Amino acid sequence: MNASDLEAALRDDHETAFSRLGSSKAMYALTAGEMDGNSVRAAAAADALALASVLDDWADDGDADVRSLYADLAAAAREHAEAVADDPSLDESPPLYDALDGFESTPERLGGLLGRYLVSLEYVGQMVGFFVGDADPMAANDFRGLRSDLESERDRVAEALDAACDGDDWDRAGDAADAVIEAAYDDYVETLQSMGIKPKNVC
């Protein structure tokens, strides 16, 4: 097992969840029905700030390489928030970050981070499409840049997983990633249902 194998397994196991988290309905849920540019930017910024908050809590745990990774990812997340929103803020962390914050071992935390990046890449891909459809090429390019940054950060998490995991560690990492993805998908379903929208149809 390696990180590439784990990512492939996660994509296979959560194919339906990823297809829906990468849909326009996911944008509708993330923005609480406010499908405008400012709301999309605010949702992206809040997601980044929620990640930074979790990583701050982990700052003193793990070996030097892992602590450095957490610090780098937290700093990058804050930069992302400031890049996409004029006044980034976080009122309440999305449930996937509650799940992520609950992990204690390095394999679990890195596995959970991998799950988070896979979810966030689905969101950001849809955000690019939103701004393309909104005839805002500058914003679309901003979010293409964000997507590229997230892909690089995901790759760093994968490298850390390969360095940190052996044997049963991969099971713990996989379970943590599953929990994060499931938390994001459950939130998507529950948010849409609370708005009277059926989450099953992908659009």
Side-chain angles (χ1 to χ4, degrees):
M1 173 69 78
N2 58 33
S4 179
D5 294 334
L6 176 57
E7 180 175 341
L10 292 169
R11 291 189 181 281
D12 286 343
D13 292 345
H14 300 280
E15 181 178 3
T16 296
F18 283 129
S19 70
R20 294 175 183 168
L21 292 172
S23 73
S24 60
K25 280 188 177 179
M27 289 300 94
Y28 198 81
L30 284 173
T31 62
E34 300 293 332
M35 291 284 284
D36 60 76
N38 286 337
S39 296
V40 172
R41 287 179 175 276
D47 182 76
L49 292 176
L51 174 63
S53 178
V54 171
L55 292 168
D56 287 344
D57 290 341
W58 297 351
D60 297 326
D61 294 332
D63 64 26
D65 288 342
V66 169
R67 292 197 305 272
S68 178
L69 175 65
Y70 295 158
D72 288 350
L73 295 179
R78 291 190 174 89
E79 289 174 3
H80 297 330
E82 292 173 0
V84 300
D86 291 334
D87 186 21
S89 63
L90 176 64
D91 295 328
E92 184 177 356
S93 290
L96 79 88
Y97 293 100
D98 294 334
L100 187 62
D101 198 31
F103 301 131
E104 297 184 356
S105 73
T106 295
E108 288 176 319
R109 287 176 171 179
L110 292 174
L113 279 174
L114 179 62
R116 178 269 174 185
Y117 276 99
L118 295 179
V119 169
S120 292
L121 281 165
E122 294 294 337
Y123 292 158
V124 172
Q126 186 62 34
M127 290 172 180
V128 171
F130 171 85
F131 285 110
V132 170
D134 205 37
D136 189 342
M138 291 184 64
N141 282 335
D142 288 343
F143 277 83
R144 288 189 185 99
L146 175 58
R147 180 171 60 190
S148 179
D149 288 344
L150 293 180
E151 288 171 345
S152 296
E153 291 160 24
R154 176 205 57 199
D155 291 346
R156 289 191 64 188
V157 171
E159 291 172 2
L161 273 166
D162 284 332
C165 291
D166 188 26
D168 291 344
D169 291 338
W170 288 109
D171 292 333
R172 289 191 285 275
D175 288 345
D178 286 336
V180 167
I181 296 165
E182 288 164 6
Y185 183 63
D186 288 347
D187 181 45
Y188 159 84
V189 171
E190 291 166 9
T191 299
L192 289 180
Q193 288 178 336
S194 73
M195 299 165 73
I197 299 170
K198 294 181 180 180
K200 293 176 67 174
N201 297 328
V202 177
C203 60

